[in-house]
Amino acid sequence: MPGRIIFGSGSIQKLSEELDGMDIRAAAVLSTPGRKAEAEAVATLIGLRARLIYPHAEMHTPVAVSEAAVAALAKAGVDGVIAIGGGSTIGLGKAIALRTTLPQIAIPTTYSGSEVTPVVGQTINGRKATERSLRVLPRLVIYDPDLSQNLPARISAASGLNAMAHAVEALYAENRSPVIEIMAVEGIAAFFRAIPAIIADKSDRAARADALYGAWLCGQCLAGAGMALHHKLCHTLGGSFGLPHAETHSIVLPHALAYNLPAVPHAQARLATVLGDAPSATLQNIARDAGLPVALRDLGMPQTAIEDAADIALASPYWNPRPLERNAIVRLLTRAWQGAVPAAA
Ligand code: NAD
């Protein structure tokens, strides 16, 4: 992907110089309401180059929120956008880029990988739809491990598993390539090392850097390969039932992978080199060991939503290596709802 990447502890200090290089003189700094302090810190860092702090990003990028942001930025006369935070804030930056010509900078503080993808998922009328366009690819990404030093271990693990899901599905994507497969295995391995290390010590700087390296790799997998059943189910559960994005990914991934594994022996062989002979169970154990929920019912999803979720996911399915069979998808979702052991059918 053509975005410029700056990586390393303290690299946020280069932001002003980068803004000057991009000719941005009146930036908007985006965040979610809960991370406004980080947006304010960025505004302080860049001084007069900051025109507006806009702390109104929401998860799943609702279209109404994006349209309100575009109007507010136009009124303020900004000439560039800086998104600091996780995928929710970066999603708002992308939605703004889709609707304007404003250059966009992403400063990720979680590991979900959105900052290096030309993909934006937007929610309207309870449906989440994704679209690909180089317009939404941030022009600059600053990966500074110091900024995720305080990211709670659980959120670190959940967003790491979200990123691992991009790499897992890239391994069996219809358009996978040898390079993507190498990046996928390397990204999964980075998180397999980093997540337990972060849980053991939240301030482990080497593990934080490793996790951001994994985020970059896994984001590149999402950028370069098509996603399948797992992402479709998660977009359905997030967009239509309001379930939290990263936790939903970490719960569903072992089950979606178990469904697909019989059809993808090449991916099973690659995954075995990092996650062992039972990769689905290993992924579920990573989530459990991180104290994350492993059952959709623990996210508040009612059992009655399982059939609807299957219907919505199957109404406009993504390509998948194993044919999608409704009863098997209902069984998959039921197991994910219960937090059962992942199984193929
Ligand atoms: P998020 O942005 O929703 O943040 C998750 C939580 O982490 C929030 O509570 C936030 O306040 C907290 N947080 C963030 N940074 C923090 C910090 N430094 N310290 C403490 N807490 C911090 O999380 P996410 O999981 O990264 O993003 C989810 C969204 O990203 C979804 O809308 C999803 O669709 C999107 N996404 C898009 C892509 C893509 O390529 N388009 C890829 C992955 C995810």
Side-chain angles (χ1 to χ4, degrees):
M1 286 292 124
R4 176 169 152 74
I5 309 287
I6 301 180
F7 197 108
S9 171
S11 51
I12 185 84
Q13 299 301 331
K14 297 183 181 146
L15 180 57
S16 293
E17 187 186 322
E18 291 293 326
L19 287 170
D20 293 343
M22 292 167 76
D23 213 18
I24 296 176
R25 292 157 203 274
V29 187
L30 314 179
S31 72
T32 53
R35 313 310 315 166
K36 191 177 171 194
E38 279 87 345
E40 287 170 344
V42 167
T44 303
L45 182 70
I46 61 175
L48 292 174
R49 300 172 189 87
R51 172 69 55 88
L52 175 71
I53 294 171
Y54 195 79
H56 303 299
E58 279 183 28
M59 196 177 294
H60 304 308
T61 325
V63 165
V65 170
S66 306
E67 288 173 352
V70 168
L73 268 55
K75 195 167 167 208
V78 310
D79 63 2
V81 174
I82 303 168
I84 176 151
S88 298
T89 307
I90 293 166
L92 177 59
K94 288 176 159 184
I96 292 168
L98 194 63
R99 293 166 171 80
T100 66
T101 53
L102 295 172
Q104 187 200 164
I105 296 171
I107 309 174
T109 62
T110 69
Y111 306 127
S112 52
S114 178
E115 61 281 352
V116 287
T117 80
V119 179
V120 60
Q122 304 188 88
T123 307
I124 186 163
N125 299 331
R127 293 280 191 281
K128 187 163 184 173
T130 55
E131 123 178 39
R132 276 183 183 258
S133 164
L134 277 178
R135 273 180 79 108
V136 306
L137 182 74
R139 221 184 269 180
L140 170 69
V141 179
I142 297 183
Y143 282 113
D144 187 335
D146 300 353
L147 302 177
S148 56
Q149 205 71 11
N150 292 321
L151 187 66
R154 273 169 60 114
I155 301 180
S156 303
S159 71
L161 281 156
N162 179 190
M164 287 168 101
H166 312 327
V168 165
E169 291 225 291
L171 282 175
Y172 52 65
E174 192 178 21
N175 62 344
R176 69 184 180 279
S177 71
V179 175
I180 287 284
E181 288 179 272
I182 291 167
M183 294 179 91
V185 172
E186 179 76 359
I188 292 166
F191 281 115
F192 191 58
R193 290 187 300 268
I195 293 175
I198 290 169
I199 291 164
D201 176 6
K202 207 161 72 72
S203 56
D204 182 331
R205 298 172 82 88
R208 291 291 183 186
D210 219 9
L212 277 182
Y213 171 57
W216 173 74
L217 285 161
C218 294
Q220 294 289 346
C221 290
L222 175 55
M227 297 290 111
L229 173 65
H230 167 75
H231 279 74
K232 184 68 201 183
L233 290 176
C234 291
H235 289 162
T236 301
L237 294 168
S240 302
F241 301 97
L243 301 192
H245 182 83
E247 289 86 347
T248 304
H249 268 273
S250 67
I251 293 170
V252 173
L253 181 62
H255 300 280
L257 175 61
Y259 182 91
N260 278 335
L261 272 180
V264 292
H266 60 281
Q268 168 122 39
R270 290 276 193 177
L271 287 168
T273 63
V274 185
L275 301 178
D277 291 337
S280 303
T282 305
L283 288 166
Q284 196 177 51
N285 287 337
I286 295 172
R288 194 176 277 118
D289 292 348
L292 291 169
V294 292
L296 291 173
R297 65 179 163 199
D298 293 338
L299 299 184
M301 177 178 168
Q303 189 167 14
T304 48
I306 292 174
E307 299 267 341
D308 289 346
D311 287 336
I312 295 168
L314 291 173
S316 56
Y318 297 168
W319 179 88
N320 195 62
R322 178 177 161 192
L324 299 177
E325 200 264 301
R326 189 180 182 282
N327 290 339
I329 300 299
V330 169
R331 285 197 294 278
L332 182 169
L333 285 169
T334 303
R335 273 195 296 275
W337 185 82
Q338 295 167 332
V341 173

